[in-house]
Amino acid sequence: IEDLPALVDYFVGQLAPRLNVPPLVADQETLARLAAYDWPGNVRELKNLVERSLILGYLADDFLVDALATSGQDMAAGMAASGDADTDDSLLVVERRHILAVLRACAGNKSEAARRLGISRKTLERKCIQWGV
C-alpha cells in the first residue's frame, strides 16, 4: 500500500503515451480511496484501473467507486447497483458499454471519444446509429 502512489505514477507515465492521452494526476483523496481497497487482483488490477481511467479521461473519486465496485468478484453486484442488470459479458455488450462510457466521459464529443478509443469517428458514428444512440 505504501508503494501505491509510486505505482499509480509509474502506470500513468507508462500508459498515457501508449494510449496517446494526457497523463492524469491522482489527488490525495483518490490515493486514500485506492489505499483503502483490498486489491485482490494485486498490481495487475491497479494497472487495469489506471488504464481505464486514462481511457475515460479522469482518475477521480466517483470513477473509483464505480470501478472498484465492479472489479473482480463484485462485478455483478456493481452492475446491479448501477442499474445495469444486463450481466451478459459477450464481446459486443462489453464493447457497447465501453464505447458509451467513453462517449459519456467526453460529454458526447464524438471526435474526442473516437480519439480516446483509437477508432475513426466514422466507425463511432456507425456504432451509435446501430445502437440507436
Side-chain angles (χ1 to χ4, degrees), residues 95 99 110 114 117-131:
E95 176 189 42
I99 288 173
K110 290 182 180 174
L117 290 163
I119 61 176
S120 71
R121 182 184 163 101
K122 188 174 232 172
T123 298
L124 180 60
E125 288 282 350
R126 184 175 39 81
K127 289 183 180 296
C128 287
I129 289 169
Q130 182 181 15
W131 299 327

Side-chain angles (χ1 to χ4, degrees), residues 42-121:
N42 214 338
V43 177
R44 278 181 285 183
E45 186 177 6
L46 176 63
K47 181 180 178 184
N48 289 337
L49 178 68
V50 171
E51 185 171 21
R52 285 183 293 179
S53 299
L54 288 166
I55 290 168
L56 293 175
Y58 56 98
L59 184 60
D61 200 43
D62 290 342
F63 173 69
L64 291 174
V65 171
D66 294 340
L68 296 177
T70 59
S71 65
Q73 298 172 335
D74 298 330
M75 179 70 81
M79 291 168 71
S82 69
D84 188 358
D86 181 10
T87 58
D88 181 5
D89 283 336
S90 70
L91 183 57
L92 294 175
V93 171
V94 172
E95 176 189 42
R96 182 177 189 272
R97 276 190 209 133
H98 179 64
I99 288 173
L100 293 177
V102 171
L103 196 53
R104 276 192 304 276
C106 294
N109 183 328
K110 290 182 180 174
S111 295
E112 176 63 17
R115 186 187 66 73
R116 288 184 188 181
L117 290 163
I119 61 176
S120 71
R121 182 184 163 101

